[in-house]
């Protein structure tokens, strides 16, 4: 401090030298400046007045938009609510009163929320928030809302009913207002909203019943059955005009294109009432103001400036156009006497002229002598600042000058140079941290070191802004995670006293105070715990708010200094605190970005888990497949990262690689959402939406009954009863055996032989007589398929098992994938989308699925690739579609759907293929098949590896690394584990 004081001795204040230079400038330009000031002062004042006019216009616009935008949001939300558009009676509409009450409570300038229905019904809710409204609607004492409902009665007459409700929506009293001609469909607000996909606003008009000026905003519901609208009064604009008077004589009025006054400082003049005419809006000239009456004839909306004479004075003003929405345009006219506007300007102009002349005469001899002496060090400083502008921070800033301010400026520039360099280094260091917890630690540590604090703590506001939560702490003798957890949370809501950290968040200002570990501050204030980190009797605490990009305080940084207070106050350099405040601005942006990224990743993870859970829940036959495959795949990948085998020597996953694998695993079967459930769950060969075996059984019933009828007919004609009885029983037995055979074939439990296929064809040749028309009662698609075949009017003999054209469902063009498709699919696509022929389905050789249905199920991996490829993945996740879409490929190039060879497949996809197959073989929760024991599943997969249907290296890693055994212990039924994996490997070797 002594050296700094001695270095300033012999130097003089800058203002003494600048005064001399200023005199020289006046000597050179004095004459021109005097003349120029004379002419420009008037322009400046008038320009400032014009800016004031524009400011008033902006105030009106902001005031209106502050009311209009929330109303538009409310109308948009209510118009999208199916409960509003679908409320077909009074009870359903009254059920919406809580929503209407909340909307009206938050919007004081809304006089009504209303719904007009396409059938002519009308429902309107008005708040009774003033004595005027209560008197106008003759409401009971406790009434808070009045509801009018218009609907057609049993006689078709439109009647109006009025109901009153208190603040808790308890009904008070209601009465019928009788027949009414009111039809909302012919109202301007209804007609403006119909057919538009956005809100529509009417031009300003007079609300006749309540006698106020306003506009109505409405929007049609998506189903077109209703229009939701809201009435906005313009009274608050009159209040805004009353506050914005330029002078005692100034006048301002808000009007529309037709010259009607919409807002005026005396709002009572806006509505004209008389005994002979209807109530109407006053014009600008009809407000009772002599100035506006004189101005009205020459007032045009396209004007921007006004100049006229009235009452012996010259008046100036302006007309400003206010486009509040694309539907509503206002104009504001402002006028004031020129003498009142320019009173201060005229006085200042006279004074400045005399002062300029006096300074010019007194300063001319001295100005030239000192100008050059002062300019030289300033030029050197200009060079230094130019280097800073080019981000050249090398070397200190030095200059020699007798002027104290120039000397201090050089010191400040040098400090600024060092500060900027340090700040850039810090921001680069913080910006390079990619983990949220690490970012918090780095910010806390850097803030503590920069401020030279002895301890620091970082608090962040929680998600619902109700509390401050400790996030990180540094410094002190024993700082750990336990220390963080021991710090208290601090409430931000409620009326109780707040500690300095919470108060810093509430006010958004830096707070400084002293405290000690034994102070009387409450534990939850955060003062004592922070002070206790220091081994001292007295500490200085500084709480700095952390503001995000929206200006909201999202946390606070607390700094503790082992510095006792001095007589002058806290002994902490304020420039250090200022630097930390600047650093905290960048730090909170980094925190916000990392927190947002963390939340986005959590949302993405929750979404993919939701998708996987939905796929598993879609069919009971998949169980928890989409959850177990990711677990097993990541276990294999973890083993591969630590394996020394040549196939995995170069395999390693960083955080981004693990994230890509995690997402690919959880979404590997997302295409199953497009697979019809009745195909996935097909349990018998004839099953579609239902089991068609019952139709064939009915035909057998008909044949059996025909045989019985034929028996009685022949017996009635004199046939031998014994012979006929034997023949009847033989026919019944044959029918029973044939149906039992078809039923067994329908189950699909065993493969079907050529002899069984021949027997099916023979049974199919049987005929039965259809006597009803099978072309009625069909859907459009069924009728179209029926029309493709040859019509057979009833009665007609038909085969017992049929394959006809109506069973063939043609593949739509959009379902066909071109050979040169962008995804590289190589598919053998069946001719038909479905073949529901009865003989065709029963002839399936293995299982229950036809080739068309098998293609439909296999197509899920195609849809998976298409769906995932359409997403805008960031760079580190662009392998997700290839990983997820490759788990049905085979290393020999015969897989599905791209027929990729081993070298073309990512190693992660080959790992997932092993996990997918093993999970499918051993899944214990699939009701259509018994889970394989561990030994049998490994035998099957070993054979697949030998045939190059799965990657042998991955399968070998899966078995030998212990992953197989670990997974079996966690997910398999203990009864499935019939062999220890170590024993299996030993026997294998």
């Amino acid at each position: 401090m002594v050296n700094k004081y001695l270095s300033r001795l012999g130097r003089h204040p800058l203002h003494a030298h600048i005064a001399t230079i200023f005199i020289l400038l006046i000597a050179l330009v004095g004459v021109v400046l005097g003349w120029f000031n004379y002419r420009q002062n008037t322009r400046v004042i008038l320009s400032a007045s014009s800016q004031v006019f524009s400011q008033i216009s902006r105030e009106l616009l902001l005031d209106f938009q502050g009311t209009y935008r929330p109303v538009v949001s409310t109308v948009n939300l209510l118009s999208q609510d199916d409960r509003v558009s679908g409320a077909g009676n009074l009870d359903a509409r009254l059920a919406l009163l809580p929503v209407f009450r909340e909307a009206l409570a938050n919007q004081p300038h809304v006089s009504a929320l209303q719904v007009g229905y396409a059938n002519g019904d009308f429902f309107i809710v008005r708040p009774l928030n003033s004595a005027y409204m209560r008197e106008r609607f003759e409401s009971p004492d406790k009434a808070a809302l009045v509801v009018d409902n218009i609907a057609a009665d049993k006689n078709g007459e439109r009647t109006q009913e009025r109901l009153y409700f208190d603040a808790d929506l308890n009904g008070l009293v209601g009465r019928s207002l009788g027949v009414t001609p009111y039809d909302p469909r012919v109202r301007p607000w209804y007609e403006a909203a119909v057919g538009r996909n956005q809100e529509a606003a009417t031009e300003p008009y007079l609300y006749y019943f309540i006698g106020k000026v306003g506009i109505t905003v409405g929007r049609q519901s998506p189903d077109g059955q209703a229009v939701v609208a809201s009435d906005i009064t313009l009274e608050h604009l009159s209040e805004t005009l009353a506050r914005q008077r330029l002078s005692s004589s100034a006048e301002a009025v808000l009007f529309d294109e037709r010259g009607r006054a919409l807002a005026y400082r005396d709002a009572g003049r806006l509505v004209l009432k008389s005994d002979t005419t209807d109530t109407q809006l006053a014009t600008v000239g009809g407000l009772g103001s002599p100035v506006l009456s004189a101005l009205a004839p020459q007032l045009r909306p396209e004007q921007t400036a006004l100049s006229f004479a009235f009452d012996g004075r010259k008046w100036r003003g302006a007309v400003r156009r206010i486009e509040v929405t694309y539907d509503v345009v206002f104009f504001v006219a402002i006028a004031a006497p020129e003498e009142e506007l320019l009173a201060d300007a005229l006085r200042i102009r006279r004074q400045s002229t005399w002062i300029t002349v006096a300074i010019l005469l007194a300063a001319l001899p001295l100005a030239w002598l000192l100008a050059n002496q002062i300019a030289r060090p300033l030029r050197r400083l200009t060079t230094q600042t130019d280097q800073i502008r080019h981000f050249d921070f090398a070397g200190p800033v030095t200059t020699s000058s007798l002027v104290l301010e120039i000397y201090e400026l050089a010191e400040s520039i040098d400090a600024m140079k060092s500060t900027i360099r340090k700040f850039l280094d810090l921001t680069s260091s913080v910006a390079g941290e990619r983990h949220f917890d690490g970012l918090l630690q780095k910010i806390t540590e850097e803030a503590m070191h920069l401020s030279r604090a002895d301890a620091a703590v970082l608090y962040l506001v929680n998600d619902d802004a109700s509390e401050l939560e400790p996030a990180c702490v540094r410094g002190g003798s024993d700082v750990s995670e336990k220390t963080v957890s021991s710090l208290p949370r601090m409430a931000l809501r409620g009326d109780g006293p707040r500690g300095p950290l919470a108060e810093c968040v509430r006010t958004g200002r830096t707070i400084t105070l002293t405290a000690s570990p034994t102070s009387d501050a409450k534990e939850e204030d955060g003062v004592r715990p922070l002070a206790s980190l220091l081994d001292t009797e007295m500490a200085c605490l500084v709480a700095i708010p952390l503001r995000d990009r929206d200006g909201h305080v999202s946390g606070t940084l607390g700094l503790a200094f082992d510095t006792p207070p001095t007589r002058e106050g806290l002994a902490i350099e304020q420039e250090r605190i200022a630097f930390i405040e600047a650093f905290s601005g960048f730090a909170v942006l980094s925190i916000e970005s990392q927190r947002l990224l963390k939340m986005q990743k959590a949302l993405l993870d929750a979404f993919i888990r939701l998708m996987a859970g939905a796929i598993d829940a879609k069919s009971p036959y998949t169980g928890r497949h989409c959850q177990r495959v990711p677990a097993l795949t990541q276990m294999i990948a973890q083993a591969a990262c630590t394996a020394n085998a040549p196939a995995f020597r170069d395999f390693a996953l960083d955080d981004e690689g693990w994230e890509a694998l995690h997402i690919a695993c959880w979404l590997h079967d997302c295409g199953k959402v497009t697979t019809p459930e009745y195909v996935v769950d097909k349990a018998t060969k004839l099953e579609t939406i239902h089991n068609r075996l019952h139709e064939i059984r009915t035909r057998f019933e008909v044949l059996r009954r025909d045989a019985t009828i034929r028996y009685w007919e022949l017996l009635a004609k004199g046939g031998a009863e014994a012979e006929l009885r034997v023949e009847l029983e033989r026919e019944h037995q044959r029918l029973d055996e044939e149906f039992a055979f078809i039923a067994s074939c329908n189950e699909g439990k065993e493969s079907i032989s050529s002899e069984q296929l021949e027997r099916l064809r023979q049974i199919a040749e049987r005929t039965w007589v259809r006597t009803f028309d099978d072309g009625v009662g069909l859907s459009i698609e069924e009728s179209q398929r029926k029309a493709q075949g040859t019509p057979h009017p009833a009665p007609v003999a038909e085969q017992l098992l049929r394959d006809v054209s109506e069973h063939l469902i043609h593949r739509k063009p959009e379902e066909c994938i071109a050979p040169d498709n962008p995804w590289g699919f190589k598919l053998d696509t069946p001719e038909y989308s479905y073949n529901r022929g009865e003989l065709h389905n029963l002839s399936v050789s293995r299982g229950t699925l036809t080739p068309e249905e098998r293609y439909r199920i296999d197509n899920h991996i195609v849809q998976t690739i298409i769906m995932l490829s359409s997403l805008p993945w960031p760079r580190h996740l662009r392998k997700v579609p290839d990983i997820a879409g490759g788990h049905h490929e085979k290393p020999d190039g015969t897989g599905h759907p791209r027929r990729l060879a081993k070298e073309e497949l990512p190693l992660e996809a080959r790992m997932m293929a092993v996990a997918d197959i093993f999970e499918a073989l051993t899944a214990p929760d699939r009701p259509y098949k018994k889970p394989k024991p561990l030994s049998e599943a490994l035998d099957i997969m070993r054979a697949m590896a030998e045939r190059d249907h799965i990657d042998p290296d991955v399968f070998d890693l899966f078995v030998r690394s212990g992953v197989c055994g670990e997974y079996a212990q966690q997910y398999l039924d203990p009864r499935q584990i019939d062999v220890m994996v170590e024993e299996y490997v030993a026997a294998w070797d």
Side-chain angles (χ1 to χ4, degrees), residues 377-378 380-381 384-385 388 396-401 403-417:
L378 289 176
R380 286 198 294 267
L381 290 178
Q384 295 287 342
T385 55
I388 296 175
V397 176
T398 58
T399 187
S400 176
S401 175
V403 181
L404 176 63
E405 285 82 356
I406 294 179
Y407 177 79
E408 291 178 340
L409 177 62
E411 287 186 330
S412 297
I413 293 176
D414 185 56
M416 178 184 68
K417 199 174 188 178

Side-chain angles (χ1 to χ4, degrees), residues 823-826 865 879 881-887 889-910 948 951:
W823 304 281
F825 298 145
K826 299 174 183 178
I865 295 174
K879 288 178 61 178
D882 292 332
I883 297 174
H887 72 281
E889 302 287 353
K890 300 178 182 178
D892 63 356
T894 62
H896 181 80
R898 295 173 171 172
R899 300 177 187 172
L900 299 177
K902 177 179 179 179
E903 296 74 16
E904 301 174 281
L905 285 170
L907 185 55
E908 296 95 322
R910 286 177 265 156
D948 214 19
D951 190 329

Side-chain angles (χ1 to χ4, degrees), residues 648-660:
F648 310 105
R649 189 167 298 156
D650 298 328
F651 179 78
L653 292 177
D654 55 12
D655 291 344
E656 293 179 346
W658 281 111
E659 183 181 3

